[in-house]
Amino acid sequence: MNAGAAQISIFQFSLIYVLLLLVLLVMQKMKIGQTKQLLIGSIRMTVQLILVGFLLTYLFQNAHPIYTVLYLAAMLAFAIHRVLSLAKILNRRFKIIIACCMAVVGLSILFYFIGLVVRQNIFHPQYAIPLAGMILGNTMTGMNLGLHHFISQLQSQRQKIDTLLFLGATPKEILRPFLNEALETALLPTINNMIGMGIISLPGMMT
């Protein structure tokens, strides 16, 4: 039995798109309005995977702190852009706070994990880039879920909010329950991953 990594050809990899076609057919049959977004997303994903594959090969073969920093900055910028693009109704100050939180917290966790847990050079691309991808990916998912829930609640409870403001309640008092619910929603994917980490997530990643 060969214990090495399996070599996958382009043809074998392209078979993944058969599953995508099945999903598109189901969505079309059920008249779900996200078919176009899924198709565009799959095309963008393919282009990104090809370009990033070549780029990471070069970075790993020519490890340099500047390259790692630039790549991490690009990952962070894309994650922030993606989150803010789905929260257009928020004001500028709110968006700046979100961007700063994602940058400071995400990078702090990354450097803490590499420097203290793994104890490797924090600018080594083999460690920094994959770990940053996992951290920022989870951050982006949580932020998107939390903001989507927060904005939906603000829009659906607009009359209640106006009434509370008229009665003298402060914005902080009014928004606190919405923020708490949004935080709970944002934490759901992380909690689910933690519950199934030893049985589902870890064996799948390591294998």
Side-chain angles (χ1 to χ4, degrees), residues 14-64:
S14 64
L15 293 177
I16 296 173
Y17 291 92
V18 174
L19 300 176
L20 175 64
L21 292 176
L22 292 176
V23 174
L24 288 171
L25 287 174
V26 171
M27 293 178 68
Q28 191 71 24
K29 180 77 173 178
M30 301 299 294
K31 297 184 178 356
I32 299 176
Q34 299 294 323
T35 306
K36 182 179 179 181
Q37 287 83 345
L38 178 61
L39 187 60
I40 294 174
S42 64
I43 294 173
R44 291 179 60 180
M45 176 193 70
T46 303
V47 174
Q48 290 175 16
L49 285 175
I50 294 172
L51 294 178
V52 169
F54 286 116
L55 182 57
L56 289 181
T57 300
Y58 178 82
L59 288 178
F60 290 164
Q61 293 175 351
N62 302 274
H64 194 285

Side-chain angles (χ1 to χ4, degrees), residues 51 76 81-82 90 97 101 108-109 133 138 153 158 168 171 205:
L51 294 178
L76 182 60
H81 171 73
R82 180 61 184 167
L90 299 179
I97 293 174
C101 286
S108 297
I109 294 173
N138 288 333
Q153 287 293 98
R158 182 64 180 271
M205 289 189 295

